[in-house]
C-alpha cells in the first residue's frame, strides 16, 4: 500500500500543522525538488473528491471481480471464443482504476504481468501468471487445457485485490499523480502494442486508461474551475481529441480494432494527442496550492 | 542600467575563435588583446549587434533584440538543434498568440534564465525542464521561421510571399517525408549541445497543444585550434566562400529581404544530406580532392596554395583542361553565379537500419534573400556534381525567418500587421 501522505494524515487525524515539526514528514513524502523551508500552512480540503474517487474505484473493482469470474468460467469450460470475447472488456475495469489497483506491489505483477517483465526480473516462465498468461494460451496456443490452475489462481488473486482495495487510502497525490500515470501507461506501452502482444487488444486498455484519467479530471473539475477556467477548457478539448481519434478505431460491437490494423500514422496521431493531453493534465496539482 | 556597448563587449568573454570569425581573414594570426576588442568592434562599423534590453550580466550571450534575428549572422556556434514543427490550429490568431507567447520566452532563454521562475508548488511539474540550469548560456541563438504550408493551413495564402514555396525536385533527391517540410522552424544554436536542445524542448513544451514536432536534427561543428573554417565529415573545409558576416552591404545583397512584411528577414533552406562515409573513405585522396576542387589539407582551390585565394573557374592548364575540374563541387557551385550564406552542421545519428552504414551527414542550412538563389546553385550542381556519388539528399524544407524583434514588439509582428 502506498505510504500515507501528509494529506491523509491531516484528514484522518485532524492534526494541526504548526512550526517546523512536520517539515521532515513533508519532505519524506513529497520530495520537493527545491529546498523548501516553509511547509504549506493550509492544505486544501479535498475530502469530497477523495471519497468520490474511492467510490469509483470500488465500483470498478466490483465489476472487475465479476467480469474476471465470468472470464475464468468461460476459460475453464474450454470456450475459447467466449473467453477471447470476455478478455479485453474484463481488463478495462482494472485499467480504469490502475492508480489504485497497482498500488499493491505483489498482486499487480501476478494479475497483469507480461512475460517480458517476469524475465527481466530474472524469473522463469513457470513463475508467470495472470491475465497475459491466459492471453498467450488463448491466442497463441489456441487452447485452455492445462491452464485451469492459472485461471483459478487469477480469480483468487483478483479476489485478494478486491479485498485489499477496500482498505486503500485515497490521497490527493494518488489522484493527481494517478491521472498522469494513466496517460504515461498509454504512452509507453499501449501505444506501442506492447501490453497485449498476443491478442492485440491494446486499444481497449488505451481507452480504459484514458477513461480513468478523465474520471479523476471530472471529480476535480469544480476545484479546477475555481482555480483556472482556461485549464479546464483545454482539458475538455484535449480529452475530446483523444476520444475522437479512438472512436475512429471502434468496431460495430462497441470494441476496438486489433492493434495490428493501425498504421504508423494512426499510432503517431494517437500518441501526439495523448502527449498534448498529458501536458495540461500534469497541471492539475495547482489545486493543491 | 545598460552599459555602454564598448564596455559591454570588452567585459564579455570572447573566445579567440570569435575574434577571428568577427574580424575575418585579414586579422587571422594577429594577436588581439581584450583591451583592444572594443576598438575592433567599433572599427568594423557594423550595426549587426544592437543590444536593446538584453541581459548585461550573462556571459557568452548573443543578443535577442535587434534589427535581425540571431543565428543568421551570429558567429557560428559549435552545436545546433533544428526542429521543424507542424501547427495543430487553423487560425491566424492562434499563430499570433503563439509568437506572442514565445517572444519573452526566447528572450529569457537567450539570457540564460529559466523559462519561468520556480513556484513553491512541487506537486506540479516545473515550468522549465531544468537541464540547462546553472549553465553558461553558451552563445545561444534562436531563429524562428514559417514554412509555406502554414499559410495554406491558416487560410492566409494572400500573405505568403511569392518566393516562399517548396523547393523543386532536384536530380538524385531521395526525400523522405519524415525529414521534409514543416509549418514553423526553430533553429537553436549554441556552443553547448544541451543548451541548444533545452531551448527547443522548452519552446515546444510551452506550445503544447498548439504544435507538434515534425522532424528534428542535432548537429555539430568543430573548429580548428587556430580558428578558421570547420571541416565537414568528408574532412574538407566547408563554408570558405561565404559572405563576411559583418559586411552589411554584402549581406543586403545576399541575405536580407528588403520588401514586404519579411523586410530584414531572410529565407532559410534546410537540407538533410546523408553522406556515405564508407564509400568516401575508400576513395583515393586524389579523387576526393577532385570531387571538391580543393586540396583537403590547405583548403586551397586547385592551382592555388591558400584557402582564401581567389580562383578563375574557367582557367585551363597548358593542355587545355580545366584546372578546377568541371564536375567538381566548387566549380559547379561557383559557375552558378548565385551566392548564399551557408551555416551548416554535421550530424552523426547512429546506424542506418537498412544498410548498417553510418547515419551521418550534413544538416545543410543556408540563408538567402530568395530561395531561388539556393535553387540556382543546386540546379548547377545537378547531375554533374561528382559529389552526388557520395551523398543523398534525404530531407528538405524552406522557411521565411522573421526580421529581428524590437523591445515591446514580438516575433513576426509585421506579418500580423500586413493586410
Amino acid at each position: 500500500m502506498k505510504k500515507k501522505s501528509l494529506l491523509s494524515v491531516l484528514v484522518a487525524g485532524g492534526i494541526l500543522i504548526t512550526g517546523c515539526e512536520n517539515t521532515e514528514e513533508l519532505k519524506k513524502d513529497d520530495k520537493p525538488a527545491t529546498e523548501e523551508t516553509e511547509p504549506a500552512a493550509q492544505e486544501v480540503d479535498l475530502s469530497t473528491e477523495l471519497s468520490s474517487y474511492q467510490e469509483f474505484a470500488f465500483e470498478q473493482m466490483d465489476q472487475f471481480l465479476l467480469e474476471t469470474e465470468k472470464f475464468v468460467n468461460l476459460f475453464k469450460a474450454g470456450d475459447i471464443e467466449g473467453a477471447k470475447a470476455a478478455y479485453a472488456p474484463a481488463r478495462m475495469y482494472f485499467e480504469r482504476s490502475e492508480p489504485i489497483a497497482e498500488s499493491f506491489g505483489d498482486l499487480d505483477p501476478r494479475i497483469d504481468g507480461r512475460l517480458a517483465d517476469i524475465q527481466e526480473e530474472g524469473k522463469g516462465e513457470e513463475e508467470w501468471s495472470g491475465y497475459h498468461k491466459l492471453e498467450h494460451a488463448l491466442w497463441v496456443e489456441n487452447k485452455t487445457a492445462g491452464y485451469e490452475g492459472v485461471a483459478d489462481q487469477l480469480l483468487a488473486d483478483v479476489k485478494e485485490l478486491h479485498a485489499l482495495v477496500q482498505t486503500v487510502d485515497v490521497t490527493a497525490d494518488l489522484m493527481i499523480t494517478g491521472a498522469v500515470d494513466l496517460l504515461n501507461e498509454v504512452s509507453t506501452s499501449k501505444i506501442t502494442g506492447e501490453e497485449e502482444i498476443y491478442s492485440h487488444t491494446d486499444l481497449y486498455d488505451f481507452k480504459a486508461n484514458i477513461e480513468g484519467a478523465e474520471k479523476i479530471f471530472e471529480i476535480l473539475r469544480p476545484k479546477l474551475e475555481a482555480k483556472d477556467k482556461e485549464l479546464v477548457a483545454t482539458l475538455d478539448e484535449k480529452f475530446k481529441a483523444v476520444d475522437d481519434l479512438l472512436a475512429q478505431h471502434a468496431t460495430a460491437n462497441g470494441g476496438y480494432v486489433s492493434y495490428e490494423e493501425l498504421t504508423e500514422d494512426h499510432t503517431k496521431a494517437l500518441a501526439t494527442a495523448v502527449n498534448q493531453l498529458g501536458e495540461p493534465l500534469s497541471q492539475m496539482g495547482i489545486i493543491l496550492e | 542600467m545598460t552599459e555602454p556597448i564598448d564596455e559591454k563587449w570588452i567585459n564579455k568573454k570572447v573566445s579567440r575563435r570569435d575574434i577571428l570569425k568577427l574580424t575575418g581573414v585579414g586579422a587571422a594570426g594577429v594577436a588581439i588583446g581584450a583591451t583592444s576588442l572594443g576598438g575592433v568592434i567599433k572599427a568594423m562599423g557594423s550595426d549587426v549587434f544592437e543590444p536593446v534590453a538584453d541581459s548585461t550580466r550573462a556571459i557568452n550571450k548573443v543578443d535577442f533584440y535587434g534589427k535581425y534575428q540571431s543565428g543568421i549572422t551570429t558567429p557560428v556556434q559549435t552545436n545546433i538543434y533544428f526542429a521543424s514543427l507542424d501547427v495543430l490550429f487553423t487560425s491566424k490568431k492562434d499563430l499570433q498568440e503563439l509568437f506572442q507567447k514565445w517572444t519573452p520566452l526566447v528572450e529569457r532563454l537567450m539570457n540564460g534564465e529559466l523559462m519561468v521562475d520556480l513556484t513553491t508548488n512541487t506537486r506540479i511539474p516545473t515550468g522549465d525542464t531544468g537541464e540547462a540550469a546553472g549553465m553558461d548560456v553558451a552563445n545561444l541563438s534562436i531563429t524562428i521561421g514559417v514554412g509555406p504550408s502554414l499559410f495554406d493551413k491558416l487560410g492566409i495564402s494572400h500573405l505568403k510571399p511569392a518566393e516562399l514555396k517548396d523547393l523543386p525536385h532536384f536530380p538524385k533527391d531521395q526525400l523522405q517525408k519524415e525529414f521534409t517540410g514543416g509549418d514553423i522552424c526553430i533553429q537553436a544554436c549554441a556552443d553547448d549541445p544541451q543548451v541548444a536542445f533545452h531551448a527547443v524542448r522548452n519552446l515546444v513544451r510551452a506550445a503544447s497543444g498548439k504544435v507538434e514536432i515534425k522532424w528534428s536534427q542535432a548537429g555539430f561543428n568543430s573548429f580548428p585550434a587556430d580558428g578558421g573554417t570547420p571541416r565537414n565529415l568528408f574532412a574538407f573545409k566547408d563554408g570558405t566562400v561565404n559572405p563576411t558576416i559583418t559586411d552589411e552591404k554584402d549581406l543586403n545583397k545576399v541575405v536580407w529581404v528588403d520588401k514586404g512584411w519579411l523586410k530584414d528577414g531572410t529565407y532559410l533552406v534546410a537540407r538533410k544530406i546523408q553522406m556515405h562515409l564508407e564509400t568516401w573513405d575508400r576513395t583515393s585522396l586524389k579523387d576526393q580532392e577532385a570531387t571538391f576542387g580543393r586540396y583537403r589539407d590547405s583548403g586551397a582551390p586547385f592551382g592555388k596554395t591558400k584557402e582564401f585565394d581567389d580562383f578563375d573557374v574557367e582557367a585551363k592548364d597548358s593542355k587545355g583542361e580545366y584546372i578546377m575540374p568541371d564536375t567538381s563541387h566548387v566549380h559547379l557551385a561557383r559557375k552558378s553565379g548565385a551566392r548564399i550564406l551557408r551555416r551548416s552542421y554535421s550530424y552523426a545519428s547512429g546506424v542506418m537500419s537498412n544498410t548498417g552504414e553510418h547515419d551521418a551527414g550534413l544538416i545543410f542550412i543556408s540563408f538567402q534573400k530568395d530561395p531561388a538563389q539556393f535553387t540556382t546553385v543546386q540546379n548547377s550542381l545537378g547531375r554533374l556534381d561528382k559529389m552526388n556519388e557520395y551523398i543523398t539528399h534525404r530531407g528538405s524544407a524552406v522557411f521565411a525567418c522573421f526580421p529581428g524583434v524590437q523591445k515591446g514588439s514580438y516575433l513576426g509582428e509585421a506579418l500580423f500587421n500586413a493586410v
Side-chain angles (χ1 to χ4, degrees):
Chain A
M1 201 192 300
K2 283 210 171 152
K3 210 171 11 170
K4 282 190 173 187
S5 82
L6 181 58
L7 183 64
S8 66
V9 172
L10 267 174
V11 171
I15 300 165
L16 185 70
I17 301 182
T18 48
C20 56
E21 242 178 58
N22 45 62
T23 308
E24 201 188 322
E25 173 142 30
L26 183 79
K27 287 207 165 158
K28 201 166 44 188
D29 275 316
D30 295 342
K31 298 190 187 75
T34 49
E35 282 173 40
E36 228 175 82
T37 46
E38 295 285 317
Q42 187 80 52
E43 283 280 1
V44 181
D45 177 19
L46 288 178
S47 48
T48 317
E49 288 80 3
L50 298 181
S51 49
S52 296
Y53 188 61
Q54 191 163 38
E55 200 179 311
F56 167 76
F58 289 171
E59 282 166 18
Q60 293 299 310
M61 277 299 128
D62 289 349
Q63 288 299 317
F64 182 52
L65 180 55
L66 285 174
E67 297 300 316
T68 299
E69 199 160 17
K70 252 188 232 171
F71 168 72
V72 164
N73 287 339
L74 287 163
F75 189 96
K76 286 175 68 185
D79 181 353
I80 290 181
E81 288 315 307
K84 276 184 174 179
Y87 173 83
R91 289 179 45 77
M92 287 179 85
Y93 297 102
F94 180 78
E95 296 284 344
R96 257 181 228 113
S97 52
E98 208 156 353
I100 286 183
E102 70 176 10
S103 50
F104 303 98
D106 294 345
L107 270 176
D108 181 56
R110 261 154 56 196
I111 294 169
D112 194 33
R114 301 171 312 148
L115 181 57
D117 302 325
I118 306 289
Q119 286 170 335
E120 201 171 290
E121 288 169 26
K123 294 178 188 164
E125 199 174 336
E126 68 286 352
E127 289 180 70
W128 185 28
S129 66
Y131 262 107
H132 293 302
K133 186 157 186 157
L134 300 181
E135 178 198 5
H136 185 265
L138 288 171
W139 272 274
V140 178
E141 298 181 56
N142 206 31
K143 69 171 190 183
T144 56
Y147 288 98
E148 293 81 358
V150 178
D152 283 335
Q153 185 58 48
L154 172 64
L155 187 56
D157 288 340
V158 170
K159 277 180 179 157
E160 191 182 337
L161 177 67
H162 183 265
L164 280 170
V165 162
Q166 314 303 316
T167 69
V168 82
D169 247 324
V170 176
T171 65
D173 279 336
L174 186 145
M175 279 181 76
I176 284 167
T177 311
V180 175
D181 282 349
L182 280 162
L183 259 70
N184 293 349
E185 279 279 328
V186 174
S187 295
T188 54
S189 66
K190 273 72 174 192
I191 198 62
T192 53
E194 288 167 295
E195 177 76 21
E196 308 285 359
I197 54 173
Y198 315 117
S199 64
H200 306 297
T201 54
D202 301 86
L203 288 185
Y204 288 79
D205 304 296
F206 190 136
K207 176 71 177 174
N209 283 160
I210 297 294
E211 285 174 340
E214 201 162 6
K215 182 69 194 183
I216 294 173
F217 165 54
E218 286 303 336
I219 291 172
L220 298 177
R221 180 187 286 271
K223 283 277 193 301
L224 284 166
E225 286 271 8
K227 205 89 185 198
D228 187 346
K229 276 198 161 59
E230 205 179 310
L231 178 63
V232 174
T234 305
L235 285 169
D236 276 331
E237 183 195 323
K238 298 301 168 191
F239 268 116
K240 184 174 183 309
V242 174
D243 288 338
D244 287 351
L245 274 176
L246 271 172
Q248 291 176 14
H249 305 292
T251 55
N253 64 3
Y256 289 93
V257 301
S258 159
Y259 180 82
E260 289 188 307
E261 283 182 39
L262 301 182
T263 66
E264 205 169 77
D265 283 346
H266 288 144
T267 54
K268 192 186 164 209
L270 284 164
T272 302
V274 170
N275 284 334
Q276 306 268 3
L277 167 62
E279 192 62 35
L281 197 70
S282 71
Q283 295 301 314
M284 289 201 304
I286 57 169
I287 59 167
L288 298 177
E289 199 174 39
Chain B
M1 196 180 118
T2 313
E3 297 166 67
I5 179 168
D6 289 353
E7 193 65 25
K8 186 184 159 208
W9 273 89
I10 289 165
N11 291 338
K12 266 175 81 162
K13 281 188 189 168
V14 180
S15 72
R16 182 180 158 76
R17 179 168 65 75
D18 287 335
I19 297 169
L20 290 174
K21 279 189 295 183
L22 280 169
T23 53
V25 198
V30 180
I32 303 172
T35 47
S36 65
L37 181 60
V40 171
I41 304 283
K42 202 190 267 170
M44 292 188 310
S46 163
D47 64 351
V48 174
F49 310 98
E50 290 177 317
V52 181
D54 284 279
S55 165
T56 51
R57 283 178 305 158
I59 55 166
N60 291 331
K61 175 187 152 36
V62 172
D63 286 332
F64 168 63
Y65 290 105
K67 187 174 179 184
Y68 309 114
Q69 279 199 78
S70 67
I72 301 164
T73 53
T74 305
V76 178
Q77 301 94 325
T78 56
N79 295 85
I80 189 172
Y81 199 84
F82 187 90
S84 172
L85 318 176
D86 275 344
V87 299
L88 300 168
F89 48 75
T90 53
S91 88
K92 186 178 154 194
K93 189 168 163 286
D94 284 324
L95 183 71
Q96 186 177 22
E97 283 169 7
L98 174 67
F99 289 135
Q100 285 169 337
K101 182 174 193 180
W102 269 353
T103 300
L105 298 176
V106 170
E107 180 191 346
R108 290 182 76 121
L109 285 166
M110 287 179 59
N111 279 340
E113 294 160 17
L114 295 173
M115 294 279 285
V116 294
D117 298 325
L118 282 178
T119 66
T120 50
N121 187 350
T122 57
R123 257 99 154 241
I124 52 172
T126 51
D128 186 294
T129 58
E131 72 272 29
M135 293 184 71
D136 182 320
V137 71
N139 289 313
L140 173 67
S141 65
I142 293 171
T143 321
I144 309 262
V146 288
S149 52
L150 180 72
F151 293 82
D152 305 332
K153 266 188 201 173
L154 304 193
I156 50 170
S157 301
H158 59 289
L159 292 174
K160 183 164 65 174
E163 295 83 3
L164 183 62
K165 52 187 182 215
D166 289 332
L167 297 170
H169 176 84
F170 297 109
K172 301 209 68 177
D173 269 5
Q174 294 281 349
L175 301 186
Q176 293 167 241
K177 75 174 170 69
E178 60 267 37
F179 308 125
T180 299
D183 297 334
I184 292 177
C185 75
I186 307 175
Q187 175 196 251
C189 300
D191 289 323
D192 182 279
Q194 194 151 316
V195 168
F197 180 72
H198 170 264
V200 171
R201 177 183 180 188
N202 279 270
L203 289 174
V204 169
R205 181 173 179 236
S208 172
K210 310 284 180 205
V211 301
E212 61 179 336
I213 301 186
K214 186 176 169 74
W215 60 276
S216 69
Q217 183 64 55
F220 53 89
N221 249 327
S222 293
F223 296 86
D226 62 351
T229 315
R231 292 179 189 273
N232 61 29
L233 295 182
F234 283 165
F236 280 74
K237 297 189 176 195
D238 198 336
T240 302
V241 190
N242 243 352
T244 309
I245 56 170
T246 49
D247 186 344
E248 191 75 358
K249 235 178 169 178
D250 202 26
L251 293 173
N252 281 334
K253 270 191 261 171
V254 179
V255 177
W256 305 122
V257 172
D258 49 22
K259 60 182 191 326
W261 63 260
L262 196 58
K263 185 174 184 306
D264 298 326
T266 183
Y267 290 95
L268 180 157
V269 165
R271 304 279 290 181
K272 179 168 174 161
I273 306 172
Q274 188 197 348
M275 291 159 64
H276 301 282
L277 302 185
E278 287 81 356
T279 323
W280 181 257
D281 292 346
R282 54 177 182 256
T283 302
S284 72
L285 181 60
K286 186 169 148 289
D287 276 0
Q288 288 188 353
E289 292 182 329
T291 301
F292 274 91
R294 287 184 181 276
Y295 303 111
R296 187 167 95 168
D297 187 41
S298 64
F302 273 19
K304 304 288 175 180
T305 53
K306 292 200 282 291
E307 180 188 355
F308 291 95
D309 283 348
D310 201 9
F311 58 94
D312 176 6
V313 74
E314 301 292 346
K316 291 179 179 173
D317 62 17
S318 54
K319 288 183 221 150
E321 304 276 344
Y322 284 112
I323 292 173
M324 169 104 39
D326 60 357
T327 56
S328 70
H329 195 67
V330 170
H331 181 110
L332 292 165
R334 170 63 70 93
K335 213 171 150 187
S336 74
R339 294 172 67 214
I340 53 181
L341 173 65
R342 282 170 294 157
R343 215 170 178 284
S344 301
Y345 288 81
S346 297
Y347 71 85
S349 308
V351 170
M352 301 290 287
S353 58
N354 55 346
T355 61
E357 290 178 358
H358 286 291
D359 182 4
L362 194 71
I363 173 78
F364 171 95
I365 288 173
S366 69
F367 294 97
Q368 48 272 306
K369 68 194 301 179
D370 185 340
Q373 291 160 255
F374 170 83
T375 302
T376 303
V377 175
Q378 193 60 24
N379 274 333
S380 174
L381 298 173
R383 290 186 186 283
L384 296 175
D385 188 5
K386 206 164 150 27
M387 186 89 82
N388 285 339
E389 202 180 315
Y390 305 101
I391 61 173
T392 304
H393 285 246
R394 299 250 175 234
S396 177
V398 57
F399 299 96
C401 294
F402 298 130
V405 179
Q406 307 300 324
K407 189 79 182 165
S409 177
Y410 58 93
L411 285 157
E413 187 183 12
L415 168 63
F416 300 98
N417 291 339
V419 276

